Structure formats: structure tokens, C-alpha cells
Amino acid sequence: MFNKIFRSGFITSMVVLVMSFLLIFGVLFEYFETRMFDELQSEAKYIAYTVEKNGISVIDDFDTDNKRITVISADGTVLTDTVKEAKELENHSDRKEIIDAISNGSGKSTRYSNTLTEMTLYYAEQLSDGNILRVSTTQNSIIVILLSILHPVLVIVAIAVILSLILSYRISNSIIKPINAINLDNPTANDTYEELTPLLKKLSVQKDTIDRQIKDAHQKREEFKLITENMSEGLIVIDKNANVLSYNRAAVKLLEVQNVKAVGVLAFNRTKEFRDTVYGALSGERRENCINHGENTYNLTANPVYDNDKIIGAVIVIIDITESVKREQLRREFTSNVSHELKTPLTSISGFAEMLKNGGVSEDTVIDFSTSIYDEAQRLIGLVSDIMKLSELDEKSSSIEKENVNLLELSQEIAERFTPVAKKQNVTINVSGDVAYVYGVKKILDEMIYNLCDNAIKYNKENGNADIIVKTNKSHTTICVKDTGIGIPNAEQGRVFERFYRVDKSHSKIIGGTGLGLAIVKHAAAFHNAEISLKSTEGVGTEITVTFEN
Ligand code: ADP
């Protein structure tokens, strides 16, 4: 910028200088030419007067100095001339000043020598006898004059050039220096010359706009980061070459990526499904797929990203669907188990009923069949009731009102309900411990303790004991149902809480088990955020403890 201003200033001053010089010189030259013509005219008038009075011969008496006097007849023939012999001179009828003098009485013209170094000024005047008197003088041409003053002109030009250089430099500096010193952080606070004020104002507005845009962009980036980093879904953004542009923590965690610095998206996963999904999206199709990673199952969705109808990348979302896949599998197993469990008693009922329908059965057998039908129907009712309880718990029963439930009192109530059954099986049931309150749903807690007691009696031995012990401290409340029964083999202990799982199917059936009791206990405990622990030794007894947080 400095150079540009400096150059423009210098060139402008040079152009002005040369133009001024030429103009002044031209004007002066014109002025002197006019003056010379005036002089020629007055001399011609004086000579004409003398010639008119004394005749043409008087011309020879004139001291012509640097002037030349010629008398020409009206037809152009030179009659006399102070420089050359008249007869040597050609006819002058075509000369401009002669033509003008014949038609207007006087005429003038300027002619240059062949070399253009000299010019001759002519003035002609018609005499009363029709002849024309012409006076001429020569002077140097403008070029010669220019050349003759070249030396001083060059000195002047040199001084002007130096002055112009200095001034242009100083002007450029005075323009540029404040511009270079502008504080862009606060443009309007700069103390510069007036002409810069509009620019500074514009800069200030521009700066405010840019600041605002940067702030907005920063805020949006932070928001995006905050959202994506707190998402449980994995998110990967890639460009059209499958290079990773952005990813969140969840993506790294779900796919257990070691080298997150790697640029290629395949650093996240190399399975065929992953590749198909990613490259499918990059080819312009929305792709959805499931991938198995360790014990987990992920749903993978990839969408292409367009800019003006051109694919510029893709967004990949990874959702952990392990739970729902497992739940779906459980649901399928449960349905098939339920059908199976319902089928057996229904087949027996149908068989007994068919025989009764066909008749010819003795009265004793009718009673036997009816008892069997009744027992199977009871089993069915028990099964259906347990299934209903479980499905109620599955729906979380969040609408059910919670209250402070006295566990010890509830345990005593349940123990009382079991007393006749316990007596029948020679099992002593005993409730002990602290008065402890649990904030929960009484009905669900009732079912939980009921099922634990039921098992403690069902799977007990002759003269065995079933103890319900309630304990509480500052942090926890526990209810422990302990029996001296047959116990559960170590290998089976991990599975007894599964739906329909029974250690000894036939034994369980005989004693009226549905395989759903402990599943209900597990759900009821989970509903109250309680933990279950199981201790059991085959042939010695079982102890199941449910721990509630206070
Ligand atoms: P069920 O209705 O058959 O009792 P549960 O879900 O309550 O079903 O129990 C699952 C299995 O766990 C039972 O079939 C039984 O084999 C075993 N079990 C549960 N509780 C006890 C216990 N107190 N003592 C011994 N075995 C038990």
C-alpha cells in the first residue's frame, strides 16, 4: 500500500510538472509569436507608407537587419527582394499571406524550414497600386528554443523530481503510518486523521459482527459437544473419504476403541456389517444394521450427509440394544414356557374329563378323577396367578401408592397364614428381629415374603424350621428367610431366580411349584431397589436375604 500511494503521488506530481511546463512554454511561445507579428505589421505599415511615397526603389535604402522585404505584383511575380535577385525567385501567387493580402488587404503566415529548426513569420500588405509588400523575419523554432533551455530545464526537473520524491514519501508515510498503527481490537478508539473515521467505524461494526459470530459458533460447538458427550448413544461423523471428523465418548466406550487418534472410521470397528453400513451411507443410502460386540448387541444407523446434492460425509449412530435383545429373547422363552406349563395340566384335565364324559366309571374313580381335575385346575390357577403377578411387576406398577410398611408385622401376618400348612408338614415357623419400616408397596412386599416362606416350608424336611428375621440399622433393613430344608445344589443356585426354573421339576410339581416364586421375589426386590443374596447348602438348608436401603 505504501508503494502504491508513493508511486501514484510521485507519478501525479511528475505529470503535473511536465504538463505545466509544456503549457507555460506553449503559452509563452504563442505570446512571443503574436508580438513578432505585431512588430512585423507596424514595420510593414511604415515601409508601405515610404514605398507609396517614394516608389519601390526606396526598399534598397532600408537597413533590413534581420528582416527581409519583398514586393510582389498582384500576379505573384516578385518585383524586388532585399535578400535575393527578384528574377531568381519563383512566382509567389500560391503563398498564403499573398492570397490573404489580395483578398483582405493583409495576410500573415508562418512556415518552417526543412529541418524544422527555424521558422519564418510573414506579414503581407496590399499597396494602393495593387502590388503586395511582404516583410518577413526568422526565428528559432520551438524545438530549438526548448533545446537551448534544456540545461536549466533539466536542473529544474531534477530539483522537482527530488522534491516530489521527498514529498510523496512523506505524504505516503503520513497516510500509511496511522493505518498500520490501527488497533483492530478497538478500532474507534484510534486517534487518526479524519478521513479514516468511516473506515474505522466500518471496522468496528465488522469486528462486532465477527465477534458475535465467533461467540455464536463457539456456543453452538459447546452445545453440540455437551449434547453429544452426554449421549448414551455413540456418534461418529465422517467425511466422504470415511475419515473421522468427530466422535463422542460413547462411541469410543461402546466399541472399545483403543487408538482413538486414528483417522479412518474402520479404527472403530472392522466387521463386515459396520463396513457395509458406513460405505452404504457414503454411497447415498440410509443404512441400518446390528453388530455384535463381545456380549453386547448394537444397532447401527448411518445416514449420508449432503451439501448441494453432493455427499460430503455420513453420520453414524450406535445404540446399545443388548438389553432389549435380551428382553425380547426372554419374552420368547417365557411365552414358550407358559404354553408348555399350561399345556400339561390342561391335557390331564382334558383326559380325565373325557373319561368321565364317556361314562362307565365307578363312583370311586369318579371321585379320584374329580380330585385330579380339581388339583390340576388349582395348579393352573396358581400358575396363572403367578404369571399375572409377574406381568404386573414387569409393568413396574408405578401407579401403585407407596407407604411405610412394617416388615416385622407383615412377616408375622404371613407366618400366621402359613401356620396350618407348616403344621401339616411339621415345620416350625418363627418370626423375630427388629421393628423395621420399608417405604414400598405392601402388596408386593407381601408377595415377596410369602413366596420366600412358601419355599422355606415346601422345600423343608420333617420337623424342620423356617425362620423369618427382620433387622435394621442406620443404612439398611434386611429380611432373611432361613430354613433347614433340602438346600439348593451349588450349580443351580445361579439359576433358581429364572422364570420357570426348578431344580427338581417332578418334585416341584408334586408340591405345587410353578417355578415362578423366586422370579416374583427377584422382581419385587428390584421394584424396591433391594438386593438379594442366597446362601444354601444341599441337605442343610437355605437362607435368602433381601437388603433394602434406608
Ligand atoms: P417353585 O414354584 O417351583 O418353588 P421357585 O421359583 O420358587 O419355584 O423356586 C425355583 C426352584 O428353586 C424350586 O423349584 C426349588 O427347586 C428351588 N428352591 C427355591 N427355594 C428353595 C428352598 N428354600 N430350598 C430348596 N430349594 C429351593
Side-chain angles (χ1 to χ4, degrees):
M1 184 142 164
F2 177 87
N3 283 345
K4 203 169 178 190
I5 294 176
F6 176 75
R7 219 179 305 131
S8 311
F10 180 67
I11 291 170
T12 310
S13 57
M14 283 297 100
V15 168
V16 170
L17 178 78
V18 172
M19 293 296 287
S20 313
F21 179 77
L22 289 177
L23 279 172
I24 291 169
F25 192 79
V27 168
L28 279 178
F29 188 79
E30 183 85 20
Y31 173 74
F32 285 122
E33 198 182 67
T34 317
R35 288 297 307 273
M36 281 189 81
F37 268 121
D38 288 350
E39 205 178 296
L40 275 182
Q41 188 179 359
S42 54
E43 273 181 37
K45 288 216 187 283
Y46 168 69
I47 296 165
Y49 175 75
T50 315
V51 170
E52 294 269 17
K53 229 176 166 190
N54 303 314
I56 198 169
S57 58
V58 80
I59 283 176
D60 299 328
D61 301 337
F62 279 106
D63 177 11
T64 50
D65 195 8
N66 63 340
K67 304 278 185 323
R68 182 179 177 180
I69 305 164
T70 317
V71 179
I72 304 130
S73 71
D75 63 0
T77 314
V78 178
L79 301 176
T80 183
D81 183 71
T82 53
V83 176
K84 281 188 179 171
E85 276 301 312
K87 54 186 171 226
E88 284 176 27
L89 295 164
E90 62 199 16
N91 189 294
H92 277 26
S93 60
D94 58 344
R95 307 289 161 93
K96 184 182 176 293
E97 69 280 6
I98 305 298
I99 297 166
D100 287 352
I102 291 168
S103 54
N104 304 323
S106 68
K108 56 183 174 182
S109 72
T110 309
R111 282 196 282 283
Y112 284 88
S113 67
N114 286 342
T115 53
L116 292 176
T117 53
E118 240 179 28
M119 59 187 273
T120 310
L121 308 178
Y122 297 94
Y123 182 81
E125 182 139 341
Q126 196 167 36
L127 301 171
S128 54
D129 59 1
N131 288 336
I132 288 123
L133 173 80
R134 188 182 74 175
V135 184
S136 64
T137 187
T138 56
Q139 75 162 55
N140 287 332
S141 72
I142 195 162
I143 298 163
V144 176
I145 296 170
L146 262 178
L147 286 173
S148 64
I149 58 166
L150 190 65
H151 185 69
V153 166
L154 282 178
V155 173
I156 292 168
V157 167
I159 293 169
V161 167
I162 292 167
L163 267 176
S164 171
L165 281 172
I166 294 169
L167 287 175
S168 301
Y169 180 82
R170 296 193 71 161
I171 290 168
S172 310
N173 235 356
S174 69
I175 294 172
I176 293 302
K177 232 178 172 177
I179 294 176
N180 285 341
I182 288 174
N183 174 11
L184 287 172
D185 288 337
N186 193 359
T188 44
N190 291 284
D191 185 20
T192 54
Y193 46 92
E194 207 183 313
E195 287 79 0
L196 272 185
T197 312
L199 173 75
L200 294 177
K201 277 186 181 159
K202 268 189 190 162
L203 281 177
S204 176
V205 173
Q206 201 92 342
K207 187 188 170 292
D208 287 350
T209 315
I210 292 169
D211 281 354
R212 215 175 32 248
Q213 282 169 348
I214 290 176
K215 208 175 143 198
D216 282 356
H218 188 74
Q219 197 178 330
K220 278 198 183 119
R221 208 184 59 199
E222 284 301 304
E223 276 172 15
F224 180 75
K225 208 172 150 196
L226 209 70
I227 293 167
T228 55
E229 282 306 305
N230 288 294
M231 272 166 62
S232 53
E233 293 84 8
L235 183 81
I236 307 171
V237 182
I238 56 170
D239 66 11
K240 63 175 190 307
N241 299 317
N243 290 326
V244 177
L245 297 177
S246 167
Y247 58 86
N248 67 355
R249 235 189 328 229
V252 175
K253 204 175 141 204
L254 289 175
L255 296 173
E256 293 174 300
V257 189
Q258 303 299 328
N259 182 14
V260 278
K261 285 196 175 79
V263 282
V265 72
L266 295 185
F268 278 86
N269 197 277
R270 290 194 167 271
T271 58
K272 187 181 174 299
E273 292 83 0
F274 189 83
R275 276 183 283 140
D276 284 352
T277 315
V278 170
Y279 290 110
L282 286 178
S283 69
E285 265 177 50
R286 181 186 189 273
R287 286 279 169 94
E288 210 177 327
N289 226 327
C290 278
I291 57 167
N292 290 317
H293 187 79
E295 287 187 353
N296 297 326
T297 310
Y298 300 140
N299 175 279
L300 212 64
T301 312
N303 278 300
V305 177
Y306 289 93
D307 181 34
N308 284 335
D309 291 342
K310 258 178 83 183
I311 296 167
I312 55 163
V315 177
I316 305 152
V317 178
I318 307 145
I319 302 170
D320 188 351
I321 53 163
T322 315
E323 267 305 304
S324 62
V325 167
K326 271 189 192 158
R327 220 174 291 150
E328 177 58 23
Q329 198 182 335
L330 276 178
R331 197 191 58 76
R332 273 202 299 268
E333 275 174 21
F334 183 68
T335 315
S336 98
N337 280 335
V338 167
S339 324
H340 180 76
E341 293 294 331
L342 290 176
K343 204 179 157 199
T344 323
L346 278 174
T347 314
S348 314
I349 290 171
S350 166
F352 289 129
E354 191 183 10
M355 283 190 264
L356 287 174
K357 183 188 85 176
N358 292 338
V361 188
S362 70
E363 207 162 299
D364 285 351
T365 317
V366 169
I367 291 170
D368 278 353
F369 281 5
S370 307
T371 311
S372 295
I373 288 172
Y374 177 78
D375 287 346
E376 291 296 342
Q378 282 307 308
R379 254 177 60 71
L380 268 179
I381 291 166
L383 197 65
V384 172
S385 141
D386 278 356
I387 291 168
M388 278 167 69
K389 279 176 202 161
L390 260 181
S391 69
E392 251 177 51
L393 281 169
D394 274 346
E395 281 161 25
K396 286 251 163 140
S397 313
S398 54
S399 55
I400 304 174
E401 285 254 332
K402 284 186 176 175
E403 59 186 307
N404 277 322
V405 182
N406 185 336
L407 275 192
L408 190 68
E409 200 179 87
L410 182 63
S411 304
Q412 280 159 350
E413 268 179 38
I414 294 167
E416 259 175 52
R417 265 185 264 155
F418 273 109
T419 311
V421 188
K423 252 191 190 156
K424 232 181 178 180
Q425 298 191 20
N426 275 330
V427 173
T428 314
I429 187 161
N430 183 39
V431 182
S432 64
D434 311 328
V435 173
Y437 286 89
V438 161
Y439 186 67
V441 179
K442 195 173 177 185
K443 191 172 162 255
I444 298 174
L445 289 168
D446 187 314
E447 270 157 19
M448 187 183 85
I449 303 169
Y450 182 92
N451 277 297
L452 288 173
C453 277
D454 187 31
N455 285 350
I457 294 164
K458 266 194 311 193
Y459 302 108
N460 220 314
K461 293 180 201 156
E462 238 353 75
N463 300 319
N465 286 322
D467 294 314
I468 307 171
I469 307 145
V470 179
K471 284 251 163 75
T472 189
N473 61 25
K474 264 189 182 170
S475 57
H476 297 100
T477 296
T478 56
I479 178 160
C480 172
V481 180
K482 204 171 157 187
D483 65 60
T484 51
I486 56 168
I488 305 166
N490 263 345
E492 315 279 340
Q493 285 178 15
R495 301 202 60 189
V496 287
F497 291 94
E498 286 175 22
R499 293 171 186 201
F500 297 110
Y501 191 81
R502 281 163 284 193
V503 176
D504 181 347
K505 240 178 172 164
S506 49
H507 175 68
S508 173
K509 254 187 189 171
I510 295 163
I511 58 173
T514 59
L516 293 173
L518 286 182
I520 292 171
V521 171
K522 186 178 142 189
H523 265 65
F527 180 82
H528 290 90
N529 296 322
E531 298 274 334
I532 301 179
S533 68
L534 172 107
K535 275 189 211 161
S536 184
T537 312
E538 236 185 318
V540 178
T542 304
E543 181 183 328
I544 296 177
T545 310
V546 183
T547 308
F548 299 88
E549 266 180 42
N550 283 342

